[in-house]
Amino acid sequence: MKIDNTSMFFNAPLAPGVPGGTAAWGTSVGQSKNDGYKIDTSKAGLVDFLIGMNYKIRTDITNLDISSGSESRELLMFSIFDKVYINNELLVNTSFILILVKEHSISHDGRIIISYPYYASYKHDTIEIKNSDAIKSIAEKLGCPEGCWFVYDISIVNQDELHFKAIVVSNSPKTYSSSQERKTNWSNLVDRECAAIIPQINFELSKFIREIKQAGLIFNDQIVHRFIASLCTKPFVICIGLSGSGKTKLAQAFAQWICYKEPEGEKNNQYCIVPVGSDWTNREPLLGYPNALEDTKYVKPENGVLDLINRARLNENKPYFLILDEMNLSHVERYFADFLSTMESGEAIPLHTIEKEDSGLPKQLNLPKNLFVIGTVNIDETTYMFSPKVLDRANTIEFTVTKGDLKDFINSNISLNTGLLKGEGSGMGESFVAKAKQKHKNDNAADQNLKNKEADLKEFFEELKKSGAEFGYRTASEIGRLMFMLELFGEKDDNLLDIAIMQKLLPKLHGSRSKLNTTLTTLAKFCVNDAINDYEGKDEDFRKTYFTAYDKLPQETLGKIKYKISFEKISRMHKNAIENGFTSYAEA
């Protein structure tokens, strides 16, 4: 049963004059005042804990001494355990007293607490048990009798084994400037400890695909390949398309699957989904701001983004996910400028100039390579378009729903249950991060993929230049890396460049019918074998042959299309240009 990291700790004082320096020595089993502090049976491990306390219950209350405790607490029961473990190691000749109390203070009247105070003692005839002796034995077992350490988990196994999970912070006392700094630092240490418990294995994308289907999520395998390969190419992906097509659901499903499984009722601290507000006009909703009234404080955003980045920075081998839902409800450049800049420069984001900041935040923050930012985008009259600088730094994946997808959904007899995914791929987290950090620049296969498609890329470059949508060195480099990652995850042959064109070149294309009619036709010809020669100077004939409903093209014609994904998109964009006088990659 997880307890607050500052409920049971040793030798970790706060700076002189700072309140909050003592341990709480207890865990509430029902925090809600509204329901009368009823016991929260959904809390992981609590039921087993209470059963164990009942199994080891003692009734000779007169032999128990808890006189150092609060006078406002009513003793309900106490138990004594003679099998005490620290980090799975049995302590010899050690016993420990657990207490169940009810508070009768003005602010928390009726709250029930499991208490494990160091001052509790029990004496009967020749038997004398002191929690202070057990704690001394634990400290010696941890190898830091005078050091700083804390307990983060208490559990009862087989009804008679009391287990403590503890982490050593340092071999000597450690002073903190604030309770917040201490709590943040220890939470990160727990994250690392929990990650180490999970055996790490190689990342296996097929397992994720198999398990999202079992959870009732219907996605084309290729869209999953593209999504994961894009994350590994560069940790900034934009998911764009029809509302309700699964953009956020896929991002959330992958985060749930590859991050650790959080206890019931607790929030996972490896990912967060943040709805973007239409009033976001600066970086404060993501990065917070220095408090103008209290010059030692920095105001962090309540959505937890800054804490997420900080945890990712301190746990560089684990994946962390920031999912920005409805990312274009506000101008992205206004609130996301710091992120866009540091993605390319590698420079730190300045946060504050406070000498002794209460929460322990660094003055500047580097964007960690294990933080993956996923933006979901719907296009309608309430949203804003992305600028080229944003699109240039991301892989943009379009989500559509076909008749086949809809049929599969209607005929599916599997109920949606994404809870089945939680933590199922957590053992692959480090392997996934390693793949995302994997260099490709000197990899012959990756370079060769790009060189093999050099002629086609040049053709696209020249034509896109005519409409002001050409690409630079960064895009060319990222296309090579994307093709490398796609091949790693099972895509092959023409699909590699086809997907790269769709995600890296076409998103910046938008304009009027007169501006793009010829450009779209020429780009479509590049996607079709021999079309440039066969239809030279015959744009109208090409359009009549190919720009019809994609699913109605004859098989012979369809077989000539080399880059099918890109061609189908170009065909749709051309149709919009003709019918509406304007077209864009982002379709409403």
Side-chain angles (χ1 to χ4, degrees), residues 479-542:
I479 285 175
R481 180 168 175 79
L482 177 60
M483 291 168 68
F484 169 69
M485 286 297 174
L486 285 166
E487 193 169 37
L488 199 66
F489 292 124
E491 296 296 327
K492 57 185 179 180
D493 302 330
D494 289 333
N495 278 358
L496 302 179
L497 184 58
D498 189 8
I499 293 168
I501 292 168
M502 179 68 171
Q503 296 184 185
K504 293 298 295 180
L505 302 187
L506 298 184
K508 291 197 295 181
L509 203 57
H510 67 277
S512 64
R513 172 179 176 174
S514 59
K515 176 184 176 183
L516 292 182
N517 189 25
T518 301
T519 295
L520 289 170
T521 304
T522 305
L523 292 177
K525 287 180 182 178
F526 293 155
C527 295
V528 179
N529 287 320
D530 302 322
I532 294 295
N533 295 324
D534 293 348
Y535 290 92
E536 187 175 0
K538 302 175 185 177
D539 284 2
E540 194 57 40
D541 289 345
F542 178 82

Side-chain angles (χ1 to χ4, degrees), residues 36-141:
Y37 295 117
K38 290 179 180 177
I39 294 175
D40 181 10
T41 55
S42 67
K43 187 170 178 146
L46 178 57
V47 172
D48 287 340
F49 203 97
L50 293 176
I51 290 173
M53 285 194 69
N54 271 279
Y55 180 68
K56 299 294 289 184
I57 193 172
R58 300 298 292 260
T59 57
D60 46 341
I61 295 174
T62 56
N63 297 312
L64 176 70
D65 183 6
I66 51 171
S67 55
S68 297
S70 170
E71 294 180 359
S72 64
R73 290 183 173 181
E74 172 191 356
L75 175 65
L76 300 180
M77 63 181 285
F78 80 101
S79 308
I80 296 178
F81 291 82
D82 51 16
K83 294 179 183 177
V84 182
Y85 293 75
I86 178 65
N87 295 345
N88 297 322
E89 289 192 46
L90 178 65
L91 297 171
V92 179
N93 298 325
T94 301
S95 297
F96 197 90
I97 305 164
L98 286 178
I99 304 169
L100 196 68
V101 297
K102 179 177 283 190
E103 275 202 72
H104 292 296
S105 61
I106 295 174
S107 56
H108 297 296
D109 186 35
R111 182 169 66 172
I112 298 174
I113 295 172
I114 294 171
S115 185
Y116 27 84
Y118 71 95
Y119 50 77
S121 64
Y122 172 87
K123 190 174 183 179
H124 178 61
D125 296 334
T126 59
I127 300 173
E128 185 171 12
I129 297 169
K130 295 181 179 179
N131 278 359
S132 56
D133 290 340
I135 289 169
K136 183 179 178 182
S137 297
I138 292 174
E140 290 174 350
K141 192 73 171 180

Side-chain angles (χ1 to χ4, degrees), residues 4 23 31 86 103 108 151 199 206 213 227 238 253 258 279 326 396 426 453 519 587:
D4 189 280
Q31 254 321 73
I86 178 65
E103 275 202 72
H108 297 296
V151 173
S206 59
K213 290 177 180 177
F227 178 72
I238 296 172
I258 204 163
D279 59 343
E326 302 281 7
T396 304
S426 56
K453 298 297 183 180
T519 295
E587 301 176 52

Side-chain angles (χ1 to χ4, degrees), residues 323-386:
I323 302 171
L324 296 173
D325 200 24
E326 302 281 7
M327 191 178 188
N328 60 333
L329 270 180
S330 182
H331 287 289
V332 176
E333 300 83 351
R334 292 180 179 174
Y335 68 85
F336 206 61
D338 291 273
F339 289 79
L340 295 173
S341 176
T342 192
M343 280 177 188
E344 297 310 315
S345 68
E347 297 293 324
I349 300 172
L351 291 181
H352 62 83
T353 57
I354 303 169
E355 286 304 320
K356 291 185 178 181
E357 202 282 311
D358 283 354
S359 67
L361 278 174
K363 292 184 178 181
Q364 55 185 21
L365 198 64
N366 286 95
L367 205 60
K369 301 296 184 185
N370 56 325
L371 175 71
F372 300 88
V373 182
I374 304 165
T376 68
V377 177
N378 291 320
I379 303 298
D380 56 40
E381 66 278 0
T382 68
T383 60
Y384 297 92
M385 289 301 299
F386 287 115

